[in-house]
Amino acid sequence: MPPIVKLLAQRIALGLLLLFLVSILIFVGTIILPGDVAQSILGQSATPEALANLRRDLGLNDPPVARYFAWLGGILQGDLGTALTSGQDIATAIGSRFSNTLFLAFWAAIISVPLAILLGLVAVRYKDRWPDKLISGVTLASISIPEFLIGYVVMYVIGVKLRWFPSVAMINDSMSLGEKLSAIAMPVMVLTLVVLAHMMRMTRAAILNVMQSAYIETAELKGLSGFQVIYRHAFPNAVAPIVNVVMLNLAYLVVGVVVVEVVFVYPGMGQYLVDHVSKRDVPVVQACGLIFAGVYILLNMVADIVSILSNPRLRHPK
Amino acid sequence: MRIPFAAAVGLSFTAVYFLAAIFAPLIAPYGMAEIVGDVWEPSSAEHLLGTDNIGRDLLSRMIYGGRTTIFIATVATILSFVTGSTLGFLAAVLGGWADQALSRFVDLLMSIPSLIFALVVLSVMPVTTGVLILVMGLLDSTRVFRLARAVAVDINVMDYVEAAKLRGEGRGWIIFREILPNALSPLVAELGLRFIFMVLFVSTLSFLGLGVQPPLADWGGIVKENKDGIVYGIGAALWPAVAIATLAISVNLVADWVLNRTTSLKGGRG
């Protein structure tokens, strides 16, 4: 078996193992804690009957291991359980919200990735001059402000003062693509700002790293201009680390999306999760937590696979 | 010792924030939960930043809020550093299966975004300041663990550590008298970044309604309370943004300076 296939198989197996362990961790995280879950859901004033009912509904009378495997078995068959608060089937409730979240994250990625790479290249080209300094200054500022505050600043300036876009991002199926895009314009802007900084900084670092190689000096001595050197010689060699950075930041989008959805009242997974954490609806939280963690693990795995594939030493084994 | 301009600015802003946090009851013009005016009054001589969604003085809330936020972030950072670096040093010194077990467990914890895991845990926990600090500190200690372990593994093979081992010193001596002093500078530089991360983390949790509970003020909570004003063009919820951003940037400037200073002393990173 060529080494590349073996490496890929190993990485995918590791991802699956990680997902399994994470499911245990999420399950344990909701039961290992001191005190009675039913009590903390219903509060101190709950009647003993209500407590007993809730314990039965949650299956708290069974041993934890049996409950875990019942839960996992259900998930593998696409049954995420029912929400405690509304009695709704979680899988149906999540379905449309998940696609809304993906829609939002997709557009944020489409805009932020090329922009980050372009600005990273500009920062390298004008290293230590004003464009570079400006870019690193903005980067520092946007790392220092939490996502939700960037959200409100954008909403205040663009939504309320300038009135370019609606300040609440409601979307539904009957809207056309254009209407949807205008509705999510501000959340996309915020998510872009959030991930742009990291991506730009690391793109800059990756290219600067390559710029120290001897072949860059050769290219400069041949008389190529600054951008040509970067575009023809530095960029191709920096692709692997850049793709890695991009994937890690898309994984970071997963977290950003939770907060940004709450800010813009967007009907997605993040808002669903946060709502049900405050309602202490454990099955929903477990299901959403597992899905978010799963997407995160998946993107990290893709990042690793891309960097394996982009390594020529592995693609052409002797 | 000359302090560069950027670091001096950072240092003075950081000091102002910490002093304001410590002496909040003396500085704040009104009480934390005292209702002193109308809803969302604009700024005036009596209320420099105006009033909030139920008529409390916003400046006082910001000062008390800073106190809560900075207190929680500081304690959580200390917890994270003590746990993370102790375990990290231990893993490096012990090696073998103990190192493997600890490192793999940390890998597992880091494979979930910490916000998501914190939400999962907080869904069944009573949300109190103690629980918040515990959850944030322990989740963040994974990052400190990685750094501490990496640094300690390098130090552990140095001649002076070898000499101490041959002298027959115990593990406690090796960790606290040989490794700790040499690992201190990268850890201190990291301290600033972790502190900022904690400030952002606790603000985010409070904003989502799962952190500091009202009537206690904190920067994230102030945003949550005043966010409805945004659509009417009332910027009360934006003040915490200013506070958090200036604090974060100041601490970053100080951390950068510490990092540069300590690395130039040794002629290289770490």
Side-chain angles (χ1 to χ4, degrees), chain B residues 50-265:
Chain B
T51 57
D52 76 351
N53 63 326
I54 55 171
R56 292 169 295 194
D57 180 54
L58 194 59
L59 180 64
S60 309
R61 292 252 340 139
M62 285 295 297
I63 294 174
Y64 278 103
R67 186 183 206 181
T68 320
T69 305
I70 290 177
F71 170 74
I72 293 181
T74 310
V75 180
T77 313
I78 294 172
L79 176 68
S80 143
F81 264 76
V82 171
T83 328
S85 49
T86 313
L87 289 178
F89 292 158
L90 257 182
V93 171
L94 292 177
W97 67 266
D99 181 20
Q100 280 297 321
L102 277 171
S103 301
R104 292 295 84 78
F105 184 65
V106 165
D107 286 351
L108 176 62
L109 275 182
M110 288 181 81
S111 70
I112 315 178
S114 39
L115 179 66
I116 302 289
F117 196 60
L119 289 181
V120 169
V121 173
L122 288 175
S123 71
V124 290
M125 296 277 262
V127 183
T128 59
T129 309
V131 169
L132 266 183
I133 291 175
L134 208 64
V135 169
M136 286 171 35
L138 291 183
L139 277 180
D140 201 57
S141 67
T142 53
R143 282 159 215 280
V144 181
F145 171 88
R146 277 205 179 163
L147 177 71
R149 184 186 165 278
V151 174
V153 162
D154 283 347
I155 298 176
N156 198 29
V157 293
M158 292 288 179
D159 289 340
Y160 51 82
V161 178
E162 206 65 27
K165 279 181 192 156
L166 291 174
R167 277 206 308 276
E169 306 287 4
R171 286 217 176 88
W173 177 284
I174 305 266
I175 290 179
F176 290 108
R177 301 300 295 274
E178 307 289 344
I179 293 182
L180 183 63
N182 290 294
L184 217 49
S185 54
L187 283 179
V188 167
E190 180 77 3
L191 195 72
L193 302 183
R194 299 316 331 151
F195 174 74
I196 290 306
F197 185 77
M198 289 296 187
V199 170
L200 300 188
F201 200 8
V202 71
S203 307
T204 304
L205 284 176
S206 297
F207 165 69
L208 295 177
L210 303 160
V212 178
Q213 299 297 315
L216 210 59
D218 94 299
W219 288 342
I222 292 174
V223 178
K224 185 183 164 62
E225 289 160 9
N226 295 302
K227 65 180 180 187
D228 298 331
I230 295 268
V231 271
Y232 306 112
I234 295 158
L238 302 181
W239 284 108
V242 178
I244 294 176
T246 44
L247 178 64
I249 292 174
S250 322
V251 174
N252 263 324
L253 290 176
V254 178
D256 264 4
W257 171 58
V258 172
L259 193 69
N260 280 336
R261 239 176 77 77
T262 50
T263 50
S264 64
L265 277 181

